[in-house]
Amino acid sequence: SRRQHEKRKKAEVVLELDNLEGRKTATFKESSGKEVSLPVYTGNEDISGRLVVNMKRGKKIEHQGIKVELIGRIDITYERNQTSDFVSMSRELEPPGTINESATIPFSFNKVDKQFETYQGRFCKVRYIIKTTILRKNFSSNIVNEQEISVLNTTNEAEDSTSIKMEVGIEECLHIEFEYNKHKYHLKDCILGKVNFLLVRIRIKYMEIAIIRRETIGAGAQATNENETVAKYEVMDGAPVRGEFIPIRVFLGAFDLTPTYYNVNNKFSVRHFLNLVLVDEEDRRYFKQQEIVLWRKDL
């Protein structure tokens, strides 16, 4: 492309972020299945870096100014693609002029509230991008560099000792009750519970717990729910008998989970449900769903 040719001909331009050594990274899976590793910043952390311009000898770049932008972007790919920016900040780094020799131009974004976490879901994405532009007279030859970062925020949820108790019954055939130790869990937590079979007159083949992630796109009457099974855990294989207790122990750290997000800029929400599924020998499925709240305790 013309832009790449321009870069190759006159200068090498690199966008570098400060203090990446030792900074945590987080891995996100793109819709293509490719995994990307991004440096992690917290919601109130300053972001600083530099634009390094290495000029080829005897070359110069005339420009209409150099700027850096911090963009917080929501992409929704459900039915039609929608993109909206909830953070859009621009800093002028250099006024119009000429670059005759190699230069390092520092920049920083301080005290910018990055309230939404980076998120890569099935239909919804939250991304943060640092973008530098050396503006040229001819727009198509602008020299643009981009670096994506991730934002993760820890929260302090009040300790919650409210257990969840539910019953599943099919008249005269099946009656079970199950209990989970609480309804709020941090992402590395362990779900403890038990299932009690009070009446079993159908032949159960196996029982599993699934964690369902529900993306709600839009709000109100127009909202659409899309469910995705993000984890499955077999609780029991074989037929239970009346009076039997089956313990449940699910380590959440083994799965790729995100916190619950209630309302991301009025665009979408992410909620999680525990789905207890029983399958009988004729492959009929019986299930009961219960919402749980997930939160990030540490990075």
Side-chain angles (χ1 to χ4, degrees):
S1 78
R2 169 90 182 268
R3 194 173 83 199
Q4 294 302 323
H5 179 60
E6 189 80 34
K7 281 188 197 176
R8 202 162 48 239
K9 199 169 62 174
K10 294 190 171 181
E12 184 195 15
V13 181
V14 183
L15 167 56
E16 296 177 350
L17 294 173
D18 291 339
N19 307 322
L20 288 188
E21 295 267 320
R23 182 176 287 280
K24 273 190 160 49
T25 59
T27 303
F28 297 89
K29 193 175 269 186
E30 295 183 331
S31 40
S32 63
K34 182 180 146 205
E35 291 193 339
V36 291
S37 182
L38 301 175
V40 173
Y41 292 79
T42 53
N44 51 8
E45 197 175 349
D46 297 346
I47 301 169
S48 63
R50 57 207 163 270
L51 186 65
V52 180
V53 183
N54 291 318
M55 296 299 298
K56 301 279 163 67
R57 185 174 295 173
K59 301 289 184 187
K60 64 179 183 179
I61 295 177
E62 291 178 0
H63 63 84
Q64 304 296 305
I66 302 175
K67 66 175 181 175
V68 61
E69 296 165 272
L70 169 61
I71 300 160
R73 180 163 290 168
I74 295 173
D75 291 318
I76 293 180
T77 55
Y78 187 77
E79 288 181 347
R80 62 191 176 87
N81 290 358
Q82 302 171 49
T83 295
S84 58
D85 293 348
F86 57 90
V87 173
S88 181
M89 303 194 75
S90 184
R91 303 251 191 281
E92 186 186 20
L93 298 179
E94 293 286 333
T98 304
I99 306 175
N100 295 309
E101 55 187 7
S102 297
T104 298
I105 307 163
F107 66 82
S108 66
F109 291 97
N110 300 336
K111 312 259 181 302
V112 179
D113 182 22
K114 302 175 285 300
Q115 60 173 318
F116 304 122
E117 285 201 337
T118 298
Y119 173 71
Q120 190 87 34
R122 191 171 169 197
F123 294 106
C124 307
K125 272 191 218 172
V126 177
R127 299 165 63 219
Y128 288 87
I129 302 149
I130 308 287
K131 178 180 174 182
T132 58
T133 309
I134 300 177
L135 297 149
R136 310 295 307 280
K137 261 193 180 133
N138 179 347
F139 178 75
S140 66
S141 62
N142 282 353
I143 301 172
V144 178
N145 288 64
E146 289 189 356
Q147 163 81 50
E148 197 167 339
I149 62 168
S150 68
V151 170
L152 299 179
N153 293 319
T154 56
T155 52
N156 267 328
E157 287 285 331
E159 271 306 311
D160 156 51
S161 54
T162 322
S163 63
I164 298 169
K165 286 186 181 176
M166 281 194 295
E167 294 190 12
V168 178
I170 301 162
E171 208 162 318
E172 309 274 310
C173 294
L174 177 72
H175 185 191
I176 62 173
E177 59 181 26
F178 58 97
E179 185 175 340
Y180 302 117
N181 57 330
K182 50 189 180 179
H183 79 279
K184 286 183 180 179
Y185 297 91
H186 63 77
L187 297 180
K188 303 274 171 32
D189 221 335
C190 177
I191 295 175
L192 296 173
K194 59 187 179 191
V195 180
N196 185 13
F197 289 86
L198 303 173
L199 173 67
V200 188
R201 288 205 180 126
I202 48 177
R203 294 191 68 75
I204 303 287
K205 194 160 62 171
Y206 67 89
M207 179 168 71
E208 67 182 20
I209 283 182
I211 299 175
I212 310 286
R213 180 167 68 197
R214 178 177 297 169
E215 285 182 348
T216 302
I217 299 142
Q222 270 70 53
T224 311
N225 290 324
E226 284 295 328
N227 291 341
E228 184 182 5
T229 300
V230 289
K232 260 189 187 171
Y233 178 85
E234 192 174 272
V235 176
M236 179 196 74
D237 189 9
V241 295
R242 183 181 165 188
E244 191 169 2
F245 266 105
I246 307 285
I248 293 171
R249 184 181 289 255
V250 183
F251 290 97
L252 296 178
F255 307 113
D256 185 16
L257 299 170
T258 70
T260 298
Y261 304 129
Y262 284 115
N263 181 4
V264 180
N265 216 40
N266 297 324
K267 299 291 179 188
F268 71 94
S269 302
V270 178
R271 293 158 68 199
H272 298 87
F273 296 83
L274 284 179
N275 197 18
L276 184 74
V277 183
L278 293 105
V279 180
D280 71 13
E281 291 195 331
E282 286 158 35
D283 280 329
R284 286 181 298 216
R285 298 167 74 82
Y286 310 92
F287 58 88
K288 189 86 173 192
Q289 233 177 48
Q290 171 65 39
E291 183 169 9
I292 56 170
V293 175
L294 299 181
W295 57 285
R296 189 182 304 283
K297 187 177 182 181
D298 42 41
L299 296 178

